[in-house]
Amino acid sequence: MASFHVIAGATEIQEHVRVRKISISDLTDALRKGIDDFMVKPSHIVFLCMIYPIVGVFLATWTSGANALPLLFPLISGFALIGPFAAIGLYEISRRRELGLDASWWHAFEVRNSPALPAIAAVGGMLLVIFLAWLLTAQAFYENLFGRTPPESIGTFLREIYSTDRGWTLIIVGHAIGFMFALVVLSTTVIAFPLLLDRDVGALEAVRASMRAVLTNPIPMAVWGLMVAIGLMIGSALAFAGLAVVLPILGHATWHLYRKVTEPAPRR
């Protein structure tokens, strides 16, 4: 049985993951390979990812009442903050396909046997904290502008948002605040989960490697973040059903992005 470790890796010597310079063409190639992975067994992958659009519809229904309506957009947009962790089963499928192993949908749950599971859980917990911080920040900002009294109806809420100065302040400044949260997630986890599945380096090195990848490739990583944001918006706009296609493609593509941006593990 592997020893229990979270911050550090499985070895006594802390591994330093080396990152490469990549270009925009590497992003498009990673996306193409992600589509290839999805097309191998799309029905299985869609089945695996149906939980995401279902959750999206549940959130929209739950917040459809006037009391919780201001939380609708923060919940939906904040869903992207935990996306890197939610897609971990997809990274595993891409990893297995790369190795020539059976990549049936149930193998996504093989993650539970990963020696890096404690580190994966720790980084996932970090994303959950960021997600909750985003929700609290969004709620506080809304209440600062509109007070604690809930909107009388959906129509009243929409009129307040789109036809008043404070509504546009909420839209513009709220998006800027959300961007900062998204930047933190991108910078700390862009390759963290694929790295932990592939190499048990510990949570700290996984986060550091992600930060080095972003600092080494600021423009490609900014473009990658934009690609992810656009894909999620398209998927969410189609009554969340599009997420059943968009999310697995992005998840598989993230695995291939990890391969492109990191040097192979040194042989021991």
Coordinates of all heavy atoms in Angstrom, one line a residue, residues 225-267:
G225 N -7.3 29.8 -21.6 CA -8.4 30.2 -20.7 C -9.6 30.7 -21.4 O -10.7 30.5 -21.1
L226 N -9.3 31.5 -22.5 CA -10.4 32.1 -23.3 C -11.1 31.0 -24.0 O -12.4 31.1 -24.1 CB -9.8 33.1 -24.3 CG -10.8 33.9 -25.2 CD1 -11.8 34.7 -24.3 CD2 -10.0 34.8 -26.1
M227 N -10.4 30.1 -24.5 CA -11.0 28.9 -25.3 C -12.0 28.2 -24.3 O -13.1 27.8 -24.7 CB -10.0 28.0 -25.8 CG -9.2 28.6 -27.0 SD -7.7 27.6 -27.4 CE -8.4 26.1 -27.9
V228 N -11.5 27.9 -23.1 CA -12.3 27.2 -22.1 C -13.6 28.0 -21.8 O -14.7 27.5 -21.7 CB -11.5 26.9 -20.9 CG1 -12.4 26.4 -19.8 CG2 -10.4 25.9 -21.2
A229 N -13.4 29.3 -21.6 CA -14.5 30.2 -21.2 C -15.6 30.2 -22.3 O -16.8 30.1 -22.1 CB -14.0 31.6 -20.9
I230 N -15.1 30.3 -23.6 CA -16.0 30.4 -24.7 C -16.8 29.0 -24.8 O -18.0 29.0 -25.0 CB -15.3 30.7 -26.0 CG1 -14.8 32.2 -25.9 CG2 -16.2 30.5 -27.2 CD1 -13.9 32.6 -27.1
G231 N -16.0 27.9 -24.7 CA -16.7 26.6 -24.8 C -17.7 26.4 -23.7 O -18.8 25.9 -24.0
L232 N -17.4 26.9 -22.5 CA -18.4 26.7 -21.4 C -19.6 27.6 -21.6 O -20.8 27.2 -21.3 CB -17.7 27.0 -20.0 CG -16.7 26.1 -19.6 CD1 -16.0 26.6 -18.3 CD2 -17.3 24.7 -19.3
M233 N -19.4 28.8 -22.2 CA -20.5 29.7 -22.4 C -21.4 29.1 -23.5 O -22.7 29.1 -23.4 CB -20.1 31.1 -22.9 CG -19.5 31.9 -21.7 SD -19.2 33.6 -22.2 CE -17.9 33.5 -23.3
I234 N -20.8 28.5 -24.5 CA -21.6 27.9 -25.6 C -22.4 26.7 -25.0 O -23.6 26.5 -25.3 CB -20.7 27.4 -26.7 CG1 -20.1 28.7 -27.4 CG2 -21.5 26.6 -27.7 CD1 -19.1 28.3 -28.5
G235 N -21.7 25.9 -24.2 CA -22.4 24.7 -23.7 C -23.5 25.1 -22.7 O -24.6 24.4 -22.7
S236 N -23.3 26.1 -21.9 CA -24.4 26.6 -21.0 C -25.5 27.2 -21.7 O -26.7 27.1 -21.2 CB -23.8 27.5 -20.0 OG -22.7 26.9 -19.2
A237 N -25.2 27.9 -22.8 CA -26.3 28.6 -23.5 C -27.3 27.7 -24.1 O -28.5 28.0 -24.3 CB -25.7 29.5 -24.6
L238 N -26.9 26.5 -24.4 CA -27.8 25.5 -25.0 C -28.6 24.7 -23.9 O -28.6 23.5 -24.0 CB -27.1 24.5 -25.9 CG -26.3 25.2 -27.1 CD1 -25.5 24.2 -27.8 CD2 -27.3 25.9 -28.0
A239 N -29.2 25.4 -23.0 CA -29.9 24.8 -21.9 C -29.1 23.8 -21.1 O -29.5 22.8 -20.7 CB -31.2 24.1 -22.4
F240 N -27.8 24.0 -21.1 CA -26.8 23.2 -20.4 C -26.5 21.9 -21.1 O -25.6 21.2 -20.7 CB -27.2 22.9 -18.9 CG -27.4 24.2 -18.1 CD1 -28.6 24.7 -17.8 CD2 -26.2 24.9 -17.7 CE1 -28.8 25.8 -17.1 CE2 -26.4 26.0 -16.9 CZ -27.7 26.5 -16.6
A241 N -27.3 21.5 -22.1 CA -27.1 20.2 -22.7 C -25.8 20.2 -23.5 O -25.2 19.1 -23.6 CB -28.3 19.9 -23.7
G242 N -25.4 21.3 -24.0 CA -24.1 21.4 -24.7 C -22.9 21.0 -23.9 O -21.9 20.6 -24.4
L243 N -23.0 21.1 -22.5 CA -21.9 20.8 -21.7 C -21.6 19.3 -21.7 O -20.4 18.9 -21.4 CB -22.3 21.2 -20.2 CG -22.4 22.6 -19.9 CD1 -22.8 22.8 -18.4 CD2 -21.2 23.4 -20.2
A244 N -22.5 18.5 -22.1 CA -22.3 17.0 -22.2 C -21.3 16.7 -23.4 O -20.7 15.7 -23.4 CB -23.6 16.3 -22.5
V245 N -21.1 17.7 -24.3 CA -20.1 17.6 -25.3 C -18.9 18.4 -25.1 O -17.8 18.0 -25.2 CB -20.7 17.9 -26.7 CG1 -19.7 17.9 -27.8 CG2 -21.9 17.0 -27.0
V246 N -19.1 19.7 -24.7 CA -18.0 20.6 -24.4 C -17.1 20.2 -23.3 O -15.9 20.2 -23.5 CB -18.6 22.0 -24.1 CG1 -17.5 23.0 -23.7 CG2 -19.3 22.6 -25.4
L247 N -17.7 19.8 -22.2 CA -16.8 19.4 -21.0 C -15.9 18.2 -21.3 O -14.7 18.3 -21.0 CB -17.7 19.1 -19.8 CG -18.2 20.4 -19.1 CD1 -19.3 20.0 -18.1 CD2 -17.1 21.1 -18.5
P248 N -16.4 17.1 -21.9 CA -15.4 16.0 -22.2 C -14.4 16.4 -23.2 O -13.2 16.0 -23.0 CB -16.3 14.9 -22.7 CG -17.6 15.5 -23.1 CD -17.8 16.7 -22.2
I249 N -14.7 17.2 -24.2 CA -13.7 17.6 -25.1 C -12.6 18.5 -24.4 O -11.4 18.2 -24.6 CB -14.3 18.4 -26.3 CG1 -15.1 17.4 -27.2 CG2 -13.2 19.1 -27.1 CD1 -15.9 18.1 -28.3
L250 N -13.0 19.4 -23.6 CA -12.1 20.2 -22.9 C -11.3 19.4 -21.9 O -10.1 19.6 -21.7 CB -12.8 21.4 -22.2 CG -13.4 22.5 -23.0 CD1 -14.2 23.4 -22.2 CD2 -12.4 23.2 -23.9
G251 N -11.9 18.5 -21.2 CA -11.2 17.6 -20.3 C -10.1 16.8 -21.0 O -9.0 16.7 -20.5
H252 N -10.5 16.2 -22.1 CA -9.5 15.4 -22.8 C -8.4 16.3 -23.4 O -7.2 15.9 -23.3 CB -10.1 14.6 -24.0 CG -11.1 13.6 -23.6 ND1 -10.7 12.6 -22.7 CD2 -12.4 13.3 -23.9 CE1 -11.7 11.7 -22.5 NE2 -12.7 12.2 -23.2
A253 N -8.7 17.4 -23.9 CA -7.7 18.4 -24.4 C -6.8 18.8 -23.3 O -5.6 19.1 -23.6 CB -8.4 19.6 -25.1
T254 N -7.3 19.0 -22.1 CA -6.4 19.4 -21.0 C -5.3 18.4 -20.8 O -4.2 18.7 -20.4 CB -7.2 19.6 -19.7 OG1 -8.2 20.7 -20.0 CG2 -6.3 20.0 -18.6
W255 N -5.6 17.1 -20.9 CA -4.6 16.1 -20.7 C -3.5 16.2 -21.8 O -2.3 16.2 -21.5 CB -5.2 14.7 -20.9 CG -4.2 13.6 -20.9 CD1 -3.6 13.0 -22.1 CD2 -3.4 13.0 -19.8 NE1 -2.7 12.1 -21.7 CE2 -2.5 12.1 -20.3 CE3 -3.5 13.2 -18.4 CZ2 -1.6 11.4 -19.5 CZ3 -2.6 12.5 -17.6 CH2 -1.7 11.6 -18.2
H256 N -3.9 16.5 -23.0 CA -2.9 16.6 -24.1 C -2.1 18.0 -23.9 O -1.0 18.0 -24.3 CB -3.6 16.6 -25.4 CG -4.2 15.2 -25.7 ND1 -3.5 14.1 -25.9 CD2 -5.5 14.8 -25.7 CE1 -4.3 13.0 -26.1 NE2 -5.5 13.5 -26.0
L257 N -2.8 19.0 -23.4 CA -2.1 20.2 -23.1 C -1.0 20.0 -22.0 O 0.1 20.5 -22.2 CB -3.0 21.3 -22.6 CG -2.4 22.6 -22.1 CD1 -1.8 23.3 -23.3 CD2 -3.5 23.5 -21.4
Y258 N -1.3 19.2 -21.0 CA -0.3 18.8 -20.0 C 0.9 18.1 -20.6 O 2.0 18.4 -20.3 CB -1.0 17.9 -19.0 CG 0.0 17.0 -18.2 CD1 0.9 17.5 -17.3 CD2 -0.1 15.6 -18.5 CE1 1.8 16.7 -16.7 CE2 0.8 14.8 -17.8 CZ 1.8 15.3 -16.9 OH 2.6 14.5 -16.3
R259 N 0.6 17.2 -21.6 CA 1.7 16.5 -22.2 C 2.6 17.4 -23.0 O 3.8 17.3 -23.0 CB 1.2 15.4 -23.2 CG 0.7 14.2 -22.5 CD 1.8 13.5 -21.7 NE 1.5 12.1 -21.3 CZ 2.1 11.5 -20.3 NH1 2.9 12.2 -19.5 NH2 1.8 10.3 -20.1
K260 N 2.0 18.4 -23.6 CA 2.8 19.4 -24.4 C 3.6 20.3 -23.6 O 4.7 20.8 -24.0 CB 1.9 20.2 -25.4 CG 1.3 19.3 -26.5 CD 0.4 20.1 -27.4 CE -0.1 19.3 -28.6 NZ 1.0 18.9 -29.4
V261 N 3.1 20.7 -22.4 CA 3.8 21.8 -21.6 C 4.8 21.2 -20.6 O 5.5 22.0 -20.0 CB 2.7 22.6 -20.9 CG1 2.2 22.0 -19.6 CG2 3.2 24.0 -20.7
T262 N 4.8 19.9 -20.4 CA 5.8 19.4 -19.4 C 6.8 18.4 -20.0 O 6.5 17.7 -21.0 CB 5.0 18.6 -18.3 OG1 4.3 17.5 -18.9 CG2 4.1 19.5 -17.5
E263 N 8.0 18.4 -19.5 CA 9.0 17.5 -19.9 C 8.7 16.1 -19.3 O 8.1 16.0 -18.2 CB 10.4 17.9 -19.4 CG 10.9 19.2 -20.0 CD 11.4 19.1 -21.4 OE1 11.5 17.9 -21.9 OE2 11.7 20.1 -22.0
P264 N 9.0 15.0 -20.0 CA 8.8 13.7 -19.4 C 9.5 13.5 -18.1 O 10.5 14.2 -17.8 CB 9.3 12.7 -20.5 CG 9.3 13.5 -21.7 CD 9.6 14.9 -21.3
A265 N 9.0 12.6 -17.2 CA 9.6 12.4 -16.0 C 11.0 11.8 -16.2 O 11.2 10.9 -17.1 CB 8.8 11.4 -15.1
P266 N 12.0 12.2 -15.4 CA 13.3 11.6 -15.6 C 13.4 10.1 -15.2 O 12.7 9.7 -14.3 CB 14.2 12.4 -14.7 CG 13.3 13.0 -13.6 CD 12.0 13.2 -14.3
R267 N 14.1 9.3 -15.9 CA 14.3 7.9 -15.6 C 15.2 7.8 -14.4 O 16.2 8.4 -14.3 CB 14.8 7.2 -16.8 CG 13.9 7.1 -18.0 CD 14.5 6.3 -19.1 NE 13.6 6.2 -20.2 CZ 13.8 5.4 -21.3 NH1 15.0 4.8 -21.4 NH2 12.9 5.4 -22.3

